[in-house]
Amino acid sequence: QSALTQPASVSGSPGHSINISCTGTNNDVGGYNLVSWYQQNPGKTPKLIIYEGNKRPSGVSNRFSGSRSGNTASLTISGLQAEDEGDYYCSAYAGSSTVIFGGGTKLTVL
Amino acid sequence: EEQLVQSGAELTKPGESLKISCKASGYSFTSYWIGWVRQMPGKGLEWMGVIYPSNSDTKYSPSFQGQVTISADKSITTAYLQWSSLKASDTAIYYCTKGGSGYYYWFDSWGQGTLVTVSS
């Protein structure tokens, strides 16, 4: 099992929107609608922000949204804020009772 | 309030054994999967495996199968991650996590992390 593919870095200006892609195969991202996304602010513990592709846990801002097309999932952050800066990880169920993570994407708010 | 409180940082030597813990509170321990996630220094997250404390059903990533053992003691709502012979490459932060909605496909609560340093 290989890690899901994410861009190493993305950046955007405050108030703008950005997208982070997460590419897998039809054995993971494309095979099940079980993609989740995590935010890890510098020096902090990861936090779940999207699960089952497009659902937000209670308390997570609606500026975060998820989608999927084929073997690629995407996280969109709208209305960028300075506090959004950090690392973002996707994960997906990969069958055979296992889950895999993406390599992570560093978001810089300019 | 759901809480996962992990044991403190460890400094160990190659070849030694180690068991770290994760004390859960604020929810029904036996109704949710508990997982472990590794983060090596400056690197990304890696899914290691999970356990269902109610019946100790355990699932491992192929990358970690045979390298670590995940267990749980439901009488004290505590999960464990253990090694029988540590290597320098095991140096990392290990996070204890709680599966969401009764599944193990995503983690909705995370412990504070336990830093394990393996060095001679």
Side-chain angles (χ1 to χ4, degrees):
Chain A
Q1 294 171 325
S2 300
L4 305 173
T5 301
Q6 298 181 232
S9 63
V10 298
S11 61
S13 300
H16 289 208
S17 296
I18 62 96
N19 293 298
I20 299 174
S21 61
C22 170
T23 301
T25 70
N26 54 18
N27 294 318
D28 38 65
V29 174
Y32 313 89
N33 193 24
L34 292 172
V35 174
S36 54
W37 290 88
Y38 300 87
Q39 175 194 59
Q40 187 175 31
N41 293 132
K44 300 295 188 181
T45 295
K47 172 188 174 184
L48 178 69
I49 54 175
I50 295 287
Y51 67 100
E52 283 189 314
N54 58 8
K55 296 179 181 178
R56 282 187 307 276
S58 174
V60 172
S61 171
N62 59 8
R63 297 187 299 106
F64 296 92
S65 62
S67 62
R68 182 184 66 148
S69 177
N71 295 337
T72 298
S74 296
L75 172 71
T76 299
I77 309 175
S78 58
L80 267 180
Q81 299 177 2
E83 67 204 48
D84 298 332
E85 199 161 89
D87 295 323
Y88 290 81
Y89 296 90
C90 63
S91 75
Y93 179 64
S96 301
S97 305
T98 61
V99 172
I100 53 174
F101 278 99
T105 298
K106 182 177 181 61
L107 168 62
T108 300
V109 180
L110 302 171
Chain B
E1 178 197 0
E2 293 180 359
Q3 267 199 312
L4 298 171
V5 178
Q6 299 184 228
S7 49
E10 301 276 0
L11 174 59
T12 61
K13 291 180 167 49
E16 291 186 342
S17 63
L18 178 67
K19 191 174 188 177
I20 62 175
S21 66
C22 170
K23 169 72 174 175
S25 62
Y27 72 95
S28 175
F29 183 67
T30 53
S31 299
Y32 296 87
W33 292 83
I34 288 272
W36 290 92
V37 174
R38 183 174 80 174
Q39 187 166 37
M40 299 176 75
K43 302 298 184 182
L45 304 176
E46 298 174 89
W47 193 89
M48 300 178 70
V50 291
I51 187 166
Y52 194 64
S54 178
N55 59 8
S56 293
D57 184 16
T58 310
K59 305 181 189 299
Y60 292 94
S61 160
S63 299
F64 292 94
Q65 178 82 50
Q67 307 305 306
V68 297
T69 300
I70 295 171
S71 61
D73 184 338
K74 56 188 177 184
S75 69
I76 55 171
T77 65
T78 300
Y80 301 96
L81 177 65
Q82 69 180 89
W83 296 260
S84 59
S85 181
L86 284 158
K87 302 182 284 288
S89 58
D90 292 317
T91 295
I93 296 173
Y94 293 87
Y95 292 103
C96 161
T97 62
K98 170 184 161 285
S101 303
Y103 302 109
Y104 57 83
Y105 309 132
W106 62 87
F107 297 128
D108 61 4
S109 289
W110 293 62
Q112 83 276 20
T114 295
L115 174 62
V116 174
T117 304
V118 184
S119 175
S120 54

